[in-house]
């Protein structure tokens, strides 16, 4: 009887565990669908607002920063880096201090991962701007990120079951930016030497930067080039040989003939404007895309960039940003994806040249469900807009008629030169496997069999680009991941999320409160650090509010109470330490969710220490106060104030002192 009873108990335990695992996996998929910015009638206008971020940055800083301002800011950053160098991880891979070390030092807590399960193993991270496979080492990969510098992986084997190991290689870069916090725009490897890298600073959309750097030892050490002039953003780098390097910037095309030591501006039209893409068809035949206020254009060169001629484009109007792609399989055919400035969408089709870039014709995609920007799944009747921001584009190096295009919501493929298109992914996994929204960059493995994609969720590895049977659940549920097709696991260990705000606490209860952290992040929501009562190094932060995450705080005396926010002062609250999703908590804020009367990037400030339940936030012209930690809000008297508010703060020692 004892053995039979034990067997019965074990069977019940197994059923309970199976149910628990199933519930966990369902929760992961459900949470991805049900986050506030991914459901409801305003989902597409609210999941990530790159336009709002751009406009808010211009408002916040009073316009674009000048090169002189950026240089001065960089000098200050360098000085501070030297001042605190003894507390920071050292150059060339000096290890981080042990957890709990007695010597004061900075420790990387992440985010470097999020909760996963066998069915939903996806891990995300911050936005890559360039992916560079090592030409002679198949499992070495470089990843350049918008705000976290460059990382290197030497075990980047797509078939590996274990984790890829990433190492930061630019934390000690001698740059005009703060140590370890680099805004990168482009990265490229020299065709003459696989250990020579060129790094361009200044993300094309967010933080600007200054300078171009060269490494001849695979990224261990870097030296600065001269001749970038007033450029503050670098979008493309094309090394043609050991000496000739072309760099596309927001101050025109720059050309070096001495291996990247010095640069001069190109001649003619390409001496100015935003140069988005520079690509080679042959050793001397090049194509480039340029954008100015009047619109976008394409140029071609027959002498390796010494001179350029404007191309003729037919079939597509209102052109803005254009991204070009070439293939080693053709010296005459190239493709382009192009913005329609009149509609803020990507033109539904491809630009094609068959004469080396002199003339380009638009190849329209057919109207068919599942075709280009006509995807299956919820909210997939267009590309999702943001055409100035989302340009994921790749041409197969072995077959010029095979093209991949990703804009905001999904990745698509054509194998016949644009005559037909197939949808491969969905932005939260409905009727296709999940791939994070907003595609930005791509690269092929050295043999052309694997496609690497960078989006706002980090690195995506398309292991089987020409898979015939595309996974489709065919129902209103989350499609399980298929890592043999598209692998989103390889971001584990990267620390490159773009963080707006941090919340922490010294609360005594619960016992692990001082280890709890909340983060507001660009397009990766508001996240809560998962802890087990100790200062662990897992780096796991889980999403609790989707879209862009902004102001966030944790109660100073109760670590279970947390506040987070979405754009336009939409406040959310957790009362269980972020165990479950935050609930809407904007009661009393009349302007909450209104883009015309509330700021894109809201802040939340704690009140005085004597009033632990008091918090403040603001809209464009009012400061709001809550005395029940966000449960309800009341507008404060603004007296004779007129204007727009950019921030709010309160004294921790004086309950009457509030500044905005």
């Amino acid at each position: 009887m004892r053995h039979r009873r034990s067997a019965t108990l074990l069977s019940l335990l197994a059923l309970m565990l199976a149910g628990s695992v199933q519930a966990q996996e369902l929760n992961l998929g459900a949470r991805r669908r049900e986050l506030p910015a991914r459901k409801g009638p305003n989902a597409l206008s609210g999941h990530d607002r790159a336009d709002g971020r751009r406009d808010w940055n211009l408002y916040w800083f009073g316009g674009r920063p000048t090169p002189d301002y950026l240089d001065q800011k960089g000098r200050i950053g360098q000085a501070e880096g030297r001042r605190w160098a003894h507390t920071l991880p050292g150059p060339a891979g000096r290890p981080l201090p042990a957890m709990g070390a007695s010597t004061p030092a900075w420790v990387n807590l992440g985010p470097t991962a999020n909760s996963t399960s066998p069915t939903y193993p996806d891990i995300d991270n911050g936005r890559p701007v360039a992916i560079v496979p090592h030409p002679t080492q198949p499992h070495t990969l470089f990843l350049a990120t918008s705000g976290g510098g460059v990382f290197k992986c030497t075990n980047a084997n797509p078939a590996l079951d274990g984790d890829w190991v990433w190492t930061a290689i630019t934390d000690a870069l001698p740059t005009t930016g703060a140590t370890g916090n680099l805004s990168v725009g482009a990265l490229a490897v020299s065709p003459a030497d696989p250990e020579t890298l060129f790094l361009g600073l200044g993300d094309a959309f967010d933080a600007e930067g200054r300078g171009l750097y060269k490494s001849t030892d695979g990224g261990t050490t870097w030296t600065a080039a001269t001749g970038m002039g007033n450029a503050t953003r670098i979008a493309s780098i094309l090394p043609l040989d050991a000496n000739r390097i072309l760099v596309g910037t927001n101050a025109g095309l720059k050309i070096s003939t001495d291996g990247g030591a010095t640069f001069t501006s190109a001649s003619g039209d390409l001496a100015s404007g935003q140069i988005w893409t520079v690509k080679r068809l042959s050793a001397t035949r090049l194509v480039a895309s340029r954008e100015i206020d009047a619109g976008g254009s394409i140029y071609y060169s027959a002498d390796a960039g010494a001179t350029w001629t404007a191309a003729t484009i037919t079939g597509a109007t209102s052109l803005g940003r254009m991204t070009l792609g070439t293939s080693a399989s053709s010296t005459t055919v190239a493709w382009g994806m192009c913005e329609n400035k009149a509609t803020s969408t990507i033109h539904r089709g491809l630009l094609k040249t068959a004469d080396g870039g002199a003339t380009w014709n638009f190849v329209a995609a057919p109207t068919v469900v599942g075709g280009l920007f006509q995807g299956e799944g919820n909210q997939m009747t267009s590309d999702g807009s943001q055409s100035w921001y989302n340009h994921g584009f790749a041409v197969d190096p072995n077959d010029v008629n095979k093209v991949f295009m990703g804009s905001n919501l999904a990745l698509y493929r054509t194998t016949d030169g644009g005559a037909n298109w197939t949808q491969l992914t969905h932005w939260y996994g409905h009727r296709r496997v999940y791939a994070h929204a907003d595609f930005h960059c791509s690269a092929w493995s050295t043999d052309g069999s694997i496609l690497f994609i960078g989006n706002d969720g980090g690195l995506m590895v398309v292991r089987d680009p020409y898979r015939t049977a595309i996974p489709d659940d065919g129902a209103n549920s989350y499609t399980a991941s298929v890592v043999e097709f598209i692998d989103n696991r390889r971001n584990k260990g990267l620390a490159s999320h773009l963080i707006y705000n941090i919340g922490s606490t010294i609360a005594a209860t619960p016992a692990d409160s001082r280890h709890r952290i909340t983060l507001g992040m660009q397009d990766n929501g508001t996240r809560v650090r998962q802890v087990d009562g100790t200062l662990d190094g897992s780096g796991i932060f889980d999403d609790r509010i989707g879209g862009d995450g902004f102001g966030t705080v944790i109660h100073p005396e109760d670590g279970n109470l947390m506040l987070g926010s979405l754009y336009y002062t939409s406040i959310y609250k957790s009362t269980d330490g972020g165990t479950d999703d935050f609930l809407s908590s904007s009661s009393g804020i009349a302007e909450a969710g209104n883009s015309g009367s509330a700021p894109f990037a809201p802040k939340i400030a704690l009140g005085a220490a004597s009033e632990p339940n008091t918090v403040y936030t603001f809209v464009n012209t009012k400061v709001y106060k809550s005395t029940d930690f966000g449960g309800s809000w009341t507008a404060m008297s603004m007296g004779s104030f007129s204007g727009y508010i950019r921030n709010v703060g309160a004294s921790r020692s004086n309950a009457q002192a509030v500044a905005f």
Side-chain angles (χ1 to χ4, degrees):
M1 288 293 294
R2 180 181 299 173
H3 294 300
R4 185 176 302 166
R5 184 180 300 164
S6 299
T8 302
L9 289 172
L10 287 172
S11 297
L12 289 171
L13 180 61
L15 286 172
M16 291 171 65
L17 289 173
S20 175
V21 171
Q22 183 182 37
Q24 177 196 22
E25 296 198 353
L26 289 174
N27 287 340
L28 287 173
R31 186 170 74 242
R32 183 164 281 150
R33 285 197 311 276
E34 298 302 319
L35 290 171
R38 288 179 174 150
K39 64 181 181 180
N42 299 316
L44 285 187
S45 64
H47 67 281
D48 166 45
R49 292 299 305 271
D51 55 342
R53 188 168 75 250
R54 173 196 60 195
D55 296 343
W56 175 256
N57 283 337
L58 290 173
Y59 167 68
W60 180 265
F61 291 106
R64 285 190 53 198
T66 65
D68 288 342
Y69 168 84
L70 292 172
D71 289 342
Q72 176 64 9
K73 178 182 175 183
R75 286 189 288 269
I76 294 171
Q78 279 188 305
E80 289 297 295
R82 290 190 296 269
R83 179 183 179 189
W84 299 105
H86 63 287
T87 71
L88 299 170
R94 178 156 58 94
L96 287 166
M99 295 293 174
S102 58
T103 303
W106 289 98
V107 175
N108 179 15
L109 299 181
T112 55
N114 49 263
S115 293
T116 62
S117 72
T119 307
Y120 310 117
D122 313 289
I123 294 173
D124 56 34
N125 220 283
R127 181 172 75 248
V129 296
I131 306 163
V132 179
H134 194 287
T136 61
Q137 299 175 15
H139 297 154
T140 294
L141 190 67
F142 297 93
L143 189 73
T145 64
S146 172
V150 180
F151 296 84
K152 181 179 182 179
C153 179
T154 58
N155 71 328
N157 180 358
L160 181 70
D161 287 333
D163 296 333
W164 290 4
V165 179
W166 294 97
T167 302
I169 62 172
T170 53
D171 280 0
L173 187 72
T175 178
T176 54
T179 299
N181 181 22
L182 291 178
S183 174
V184 178
L187 182 73
V189 63
S190 171
D193 178 6
E195 293 300 303
T196 296
L197 298 168
F198 296 95
L199 171 66
L201 301 187
D203 176 67
F205 312 106
D206 289 299
E208 296 180 81
R210 296 282 282 154
L212 185 131
Y213 292 83
K214 177 181 179 179
S215 173
T216 57
D217 51 18
T220 301
T221 60
W222 300 86
T223 57
T226 61
M228 289 295 107
N230 288 329
T232 59
R233 302 183 190 272
I234 293 176
S236 58
I237 303 173
L238 177 64
L240 291 176
D241 53 39
N243 296 310
R244 194 167 185 82
I245 298 96
L246 290 80
V247 177
T249 80
N250 64 337
L253 181 66
K254 311 296 181 181
I255 301 176
S256 174
T257 58
D258 57 10
T262 62
F263 286 82
T264 58
S265 293
S267 61
D269 291 346
L270 295 193
S272 63
Q274 171 70 63
I275 309 301
W276 284 112
T277 319
V278 186
K279 293 287 186 179
R280 64 180 293 166
L281 282 161
S282 69
T284 56
R285 193 79 175 188
L286 312 178
V287 291
S289 61
R290 173 181 183 248
E291 184 181 7
I292 56 176
D293 290 342
S297 52
I298 297 176
Y299 291 77
Y300 67 95
S301 173
D303 52 15
T307 60
W308 295 85
T309 303
T312 300
I313 304 174
T314 60
T317 59
S318 299
L319 295 174
R321 177 185 173 188
M322 287 179 278
T323 299
L324 310 180
T326 58
S327 169
S329 66
S330 177
T331 58
T332 57
V333 176
W335 301 94
M337 67 182 294
C338 50
E339 174 189 9
N340 184 339
K341 291 177 72 71
T343 61
S344 297
T345 60
I346 300 292
H347 276 288
R348 189 175 286 174
L350 291 169
L351 289 175
K352 178 183 180 180
T353 179
D355 58 6
T359 60
W360 297 74
N361 300 299
F362 186 67
V363 180
T367 301
V368 57
V369 175
L372 182 62
F373 307 144
Q374 303 157 87
E376 295 184 282
N378 287 344
Q379 305 160 351
M380 289 294 297
T381 57
S382 72
D383 69 334
S385 301
Q386 297 188 166
S387 54
W388 58 276
Y389 178 63
N390 307 303
H391 279 234
F393 198 56
V395 183
D396 192 314
N398 300 314
D399 187 339
V400 74
N401 288 312
K402 296 178 178 178
V403 181
F404 292 75
M405 187 189 300
S407 181
N408 193 331
L409 305 178
L411 181 68
Y412 297 85
R413 174 189 73 199
T414 179
T415 59
D416 53 15
N420 297 282
W421 291 88
T422 300
Q423 178 193 352
L424 304 182
T425 68
H426 185 278
W427 70 294
Y428 64 75
H430 183 232
R431 298 206 62 180
R432 294 294 188 274
V433 295
Y434 164 75
H436 199 287
D438 303 330
F439 294 86
H440 295 285
C441 61
S442 66
W444 290 88
S445 59
T446 51
D447 63 358
S449 65
I450 291 172
L451 177 60
F452 300 103
I453 295 283
N455 54 42
D456 270 9
L459 175 67
M460 181 176 82
V461 183
V462 187
R463 294 175 58 184
D464 188 5
Y466 298 107
R467 184 184 181 102
T468 302
I470 306 302
D472 177 3
D473 68 356
N476 189 25
S477 62
Y478 184 76
T479 302
S481 299
V482 182
V483 297
E484 295 80 13
F485 173 37
I486 290 178
D487 190 350
N488 292 308
R489 300 173 298 171
R490 304 310 184 177
N491 294 289
K492 186 176 182 180
L494 289 167
S496 63
H497 279 111
L498 300 173
I499 297 173
Y500 284 105
N501 288 280
I502 301 173
S504 62
T505 184
I506 57 172
T509 56
D512 65 357
S513 292
R514 64 181 54 235
H515 301 313
R516 298 183 178 189
I517 302 170
T518 56
L519 299 175
M521 304 189 296
Q522 187 267 313
D523 204 18
N524 283 284
T526 299
R527 303 216 169 174
V528 179
R529 182 176 181 229
Q530 304 301 296
V531 297
D532 59 3
T534 62
L535 182 61
D536 63 37
S538 66
I540 294 176
F541 286 69
D542 278 342
D543 50 346
R544 290 296 182 258
I545 310 171
D548 286 315
F550 296 105
T552 179
V553 294
I554 304 178
H555 195 283
E557 295 182 358
D558 183 353
N560 280 326
L561 302 180
M562 300 173 172
L563 296 177
S565 59
L566 276 170
Y567 12 67
Y568 313 126
T569 317
S570 295
I571 310 298
Y572 290 81
K573 181 176 182 177
S574 170
T575 58
D576 59 8
T579 301
D580 293 317
D581 293 341
F582 288 49
L583 299 178
S584 179
S585 193
S586 302
S587 177
I589 304 177
E591 300 85 355
N594 188 327
S595 61
S597 55
F600 174 75
K603 303 277 187 178
I604 305 173
L606 294 171
S610 61
E611 299 180 349
N613 290 318
T614 295
V615 287
Y616 299 88
T617 190
F618 65 97
V619 294
N620 286 353
T621 60
K622 300 176 189 175
V623 173
Y624 279 88
K625 177 180 180 179
S626 172
T627 57
D628 55 5
F629 204 72
S632 59
W633 300 84
T634 301
M636 299 181 67
S637 173
M638 304 303 292
S640 60
F641 170 78
S642 63
Y644 286 89
I645 301 170
R646 298 198 304 179
N647 207 341
V648 66
S651 169
R652 295 290 286 152
S653 60
N654 182 352
Q656 304 304 311
V658 180
F660 60 88

